[in-house]
């Protein structure tokens, strides 16, 4: 398995689409596709960004670069479930930090949490739509 295939495998284990990963890395979906297919090289800068936005360990970076021979060195650290859990934990911590620092946002979400389900769902869908449009 090539470094490009391992890159894709980890992205998929994190349940991220190419578009989502691209947004996190400040890159286009087409760039992610080129990296995964090997049409464009994965530079040290790209790998560093990938590790940072996905909160993967240095062991994962070594796995990306060296491949299966490194699996025996790291054992459980490379298990898909552990990779996902580490990513989700780090992601949740970033969100919590935003809420800690943004009092108004926290208050608004607190109010929304008390809305009836239908109204809350509509508001959340509107917010998601706005955020997606902002990214584009």
């Amino acid at each position: 398995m090539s470094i490009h295939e391992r890159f894709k495998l980890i992205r998929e284990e994190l349940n991220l689409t190419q578009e989502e990963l691209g947004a996190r890395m400040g890159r286009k979906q087409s760039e992610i596709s080129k990296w995964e297919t090997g049409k464009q090289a994965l530079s040290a800068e790209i790998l560093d960004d990938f590790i940072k936005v996905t909160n993967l360990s240095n062991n994962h970076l070594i796995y990306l670069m060296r491949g299966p021979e490194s699996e025996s060195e790291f054992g459980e650290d490379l298990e898909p479930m552990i990779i996902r859990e580490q990513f989700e934990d780090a992601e949740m911590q970033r969100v919590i930090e935003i809420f800690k620092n943004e009092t108004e946002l926290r208050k608004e979400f607190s109010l929304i949490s008390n809305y009836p389900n239908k109204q809350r769902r509509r508001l959340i869908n509107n917010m998601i739509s706005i955020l997606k449009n902002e990214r584009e």
Side-chain angles (χ1 to χ4, degrees):
M1 183 182 302
S2 72
I3 187 172
H4 305 281
E5 292 167 321
R6 290 189 297 275
F7 182 91
K8 178 180 180 179
L9 178 69
I10 290 176
R11 176 189 57 78
E12 289 174 342
E13 287 173 355
L14 296 174
N15 294 323
L16 293 173
T17 65
Q18 289 179 345
E19 185 176 272
E20 290 168 333
L21 178 60
R24 289 168 187 270
M25 293 179 71
R27 307 287 185 134
K28 295 179 181 173
Q29 177 274 327
S30 58
E31 289 179 89
I32 306 298
S33 177
K34 288 176 186 175
W35 299 334
E36 291 182 355
T37 58
K39 291 179 183 174
Q40 186 174 335
L42 286 162
S43 67
E45 179 188 343
I46 292 166
L47 290 173
D48 187 49
D49 285 349
F50 180 66
I51 293 297
K52 284 178 184 170
V53 302
T54 57
N55 200 52
L56 295 173
S57 69
N58 288 334
N59 293 347
H60 295 106
L61 178 59
I62 293 168
Y63 168 73
L64 274 169
M65 296 175 68
R66 290 193 357 214
E69 69 238 25
S70 62
E71 285 182 28
S72 60
E73 294 176 47
F74 308 121
E76 286 184 4
D77 192 32
L78 296 175
E79 289 292 321
M81 187 173 75
I82 291 174
I83 291 171
R84 273 191 302 279
E85 286 174 356
Q86 289 172 343
F87 171 71
E88 290 169 359
D89 288 348
E91 191 171 61
M92 187 57 69
Q93 286 304 312
R94 285 191 300 270
V95 170
I96 288 169
E97 282 303 310
I98 290 171
F99 278 99
K100 281 182 182 177
N101 297 322
E102 299 293 336
T103 339
E104 274 190 65
L105 183 64
R106 186 175 64 241
K107 286 178 184 176
E108 290 301 321
F109 271 88
S110 181
L111 289 171
I112 291 169
S113 70
N114 294 310
Y115 287 8
N117 286 342
K118 190 174 181 178
Q119 186 180 8
R120 182 175 55 236
R121 186 74 252 156
R122 191 178 76 247
L123 279 168
I124 290 170
N125 287 340
N126 287 339
M127 284 187 280
I128 290 169
S129 180
I130 290 167
L131 292 170
K132 284 182 177 180
N133 287 334
E134 284 294 315
R135 273 199 314 264
E136 295 171 358

